[in-house]
Amino acid sequence: MASEQIERRLPEEALSLCLLLALAGGFLDGYTYLARGGVFANAETGNMVLLGIRLLQGEYARAGAYLVSVLSFALGIWGAEAIRAALESRGGLRWRQTTLGMEIAAVTLVAFLPKELDMLANCMVAFTSAMQIESFRRVEGNPYASTMCTGDLRSGTEQLFHCWQRRDRKAGRNAVDYYGVIAVFIVGAASGVPAYEVLGLRACLVCSGLLLVSFVLLTVKAGRGKGDGGPR
């Protein structure tokens, strides 16, 4: 029981942090779809579907944009694991802070890329989003995704069923967490519309701000964990 409580207090699994990352994830998906050529740079399932459709229609140039996004996402997973292997055992700055810092830098740069470089912008977002989803995989001890919602919907509904069937309060709390993440993701995606209307391509800076707040929150929680003798 004690080990479970410690695990649930890991700073990278805090609900507040996970909600912020989901908000940023939804915003980025809305941004790349609206501003960067109709590509979902976070959710690669949609890109794979569109890739197949464009190939069948003979629109190979448009298919290439989706393929590049998918490959960039795969490279982002590889990159996150490489950073983890290099930094996890050395102490000091956490590897998750490193990947999040890289995402902040990349997303900020994307805001200043012209329309002619939409493919590069989508590659950068896909790459860093993959690093985010690989680095932050649990909310309050439960598996989750901050840049896509299909798995969260499955897990949340499963927990809701267990709550109803077994009168399991913990499952009910888990369901609330999952549905909260989904709701925040949708809010993030929707907020990309007015942000894009007002700021244009610079709307991506809103996401940079959300990620920066996430970085600060993670750092503060990690510091508190060390001060309390918690997990490092």
Side-chain angles (χ1 to χ4, degrees):
M1 184 68 171
S3 61
E4 180 183 347
Q5 290 176 344
I6 290 175
E7 185 177 1
R8 287 177 63 86
R9 293 174 183 171
L10 290 173
E12 64 269 18
E13 297 181 10
L15 179 61
S16 55
L17 175 64
C18 294
L19 290 174
L20 267 174
L21 291 174
L23 186 65
F27 188 96
L28 271 181
D29 244 2
Y31 172 81
T32 55
Y33 185 82
L34 289 170
R36 297 294 184 176
V39 174
F40 293 110
N42 287 349
E44 298 307 317
T45 301
N47 289 333
M48 292 177 187
V49 172
L50 292 171
L51 170 62
I53 292 173
R54 299 309 180 198
L55 286 174
L56 185 63
Q57 294 174 336
E59 299 180 15
Y60 301 118
R62 297 186 66 182
Y66 298 113
L67 177 60
V68 168
S69 181
V70 171
L71 293 177
S72 298
F73 190 92
L75 287 174
I77 299 296
W78 184 286
E81 285 301 308
I83 293 172
R84 179 178 184 174
L87 298 181
E88 190 174 35
S89 62
R90 296 184 183 179
L93 189 67
R94 290 168 177 257
W95 70 275
R96 291 182 175 87
Q97 290 169 302
T98 302
T99 58
L100 191 53
M102 290 177 64
E103 184 177 11
I104 293 169
V107 168
T108 301
L109 179 58
V110 165
F112 296 95
L113 293 179
K115 284 291 293 179
E116 293 77 15
L117 296 179
D118 275 356
M119 183 175 291
L120 175 60
N122 289 327
C123 288
M124 293 174 65
V125 171
F127 182 86
T128 56
S129 295
M131 296 181 75
Q132 176 180 314
I133 199 172
E134 185 70 5
S135 303
F136 301 92
R137 301 174 62 171
R138 303 182 76 84
V139 53
E140 299 292 345
N142 297 304
Y144 102 116
S146 59
T147 64
M148 57 192 74
C149 289
T150 303
D152 296 335
L153 180 59
R154 182 202 65 79
S155 298
T157 305
E158 178 184 67
Q159 292 295 312
L160 185 63
F161 175 80
H162 292 326
C163 175
W164 171 78
Q165 183 187 46
R166 306 171 186 172
R167 301 297 186 267
D168 186 340
R169 293 184 178 180
K170 181 181 177 182
R173 290 193 297 270
N174 291 340
V176 170
D177 288 348
Y178 279 119
Y179 287 126
V181 167
I182 293 170
V184 167
F185 184 92
I186 294 172
V187 169
S191 64
V193 177
Y196 177 60
E197 291 176 349
V198 173
L199 300 173
L201 297 180
R202 301 289 190 274
C204 203
L205 292 175
V206 175
C207 188
S208 299
L210 293 173
L211 293 171
L212 181 59
V213 173
S214 301
F215 183 91
V216 172
L217 182 61
L218 175 62
T219 302
V220 169
K221 288 183 175 294
R224 287 177 180 172
K226 293 177 183 178
D228 296 340
R232 297 179 63 139

